[in-house]
Amino acid sequence: MNKERVAELVKELLEEIGEDPSREGLLRTPERVAESLKFLTSGYDGNIEDIINNAVFKSHANNMIINRNIEVYSLCEHHVLPFFGTCHIGYIAQEKVIGVSKLARIVDFYARRLQIQERLTEQIAHEVMDAVGAEGVGVVMECQHLCMMMRGVEKQGSIMTTSSVLGSFRNDPSTRAEFMNLIK
Ligand code: ZN
């Protein structure tokens, strides 16, 4: 991302919405917005292999591993407004497990770009499945969307839930039920 070019565009945008980019409070706003956007869309630059790097360990565990309440912050691709909430990830290992902090890094990697919640949920599930060669994976995400809260239908209380289940979490109702019960 060319930060100088983005800052120029933000300055033009400020003018178009009726602001005066030369007033004191806005003087450095274009640079700040460019800096902020670079971070919020940093998922485009990274490499998932570098993120997971060396954090997959051999294990004979065959039980369900769950990480609840991972914070999610992303931007909706329709309005470029934030959506945010929590993500719960569960998987059943076969021979490998992944370092717990890496699950959060996987969430950030896919969240830091323009997204829809449904795709974000799917991408996280597939990434965990691929990374550890799991027997099954389940991901549930609960988010609030500012594009619904601040504009549009203005529904402040609504929470959108999405889920993605793969492998045994999809094929075995009792495994899926165990997961859903544990993340409650
Ligand atoms: Zn939206």
Side-chain angles (χ1 to χ4, degrees), residues 85-105:
T86 53
C87 177
H88 316 293
I89 302 176
Y91 66 96
I92 296 181
Q94 301 200 96
E95 290 172 345
K96 292 183 283 184
V97 295
I98 188 166
V100 70
S101 69
K102 297 297 179 179
L103 292 176
R105 298 288 304 277

Side-chain angles (χ1 to χ4, degrees), residues 73-84 111 113-117 119 144-148 151:
Y73 298 96
S74 190
L75 293 170
C76 88
E77 70 183 19
H78 302 129
H79 305 94
V80 197
L81 283 172
F83 66 92
F84 59 95
R113 55 184 80 188
L114 302 187
Q115 274 289 9
I116 56 171
Q117 188 180 326
R119 185 174 64 227
Q144 292 183 285
H145 292 246
L146 286 187
C147 62
M148 280 184 69
R151 54 161 295 290

Side-chain angles (χ1 to χ4, degrees), residues 54 56 63 66 84 112 129 131-132 151 162 164:
N54 297 329
V56 174
N63 47 342
I66 292 197
F84 59 95
R112 287 177 186 158
M129 191 78 172
V132 298
R151 54 161 295 290
T162 48
S164 176

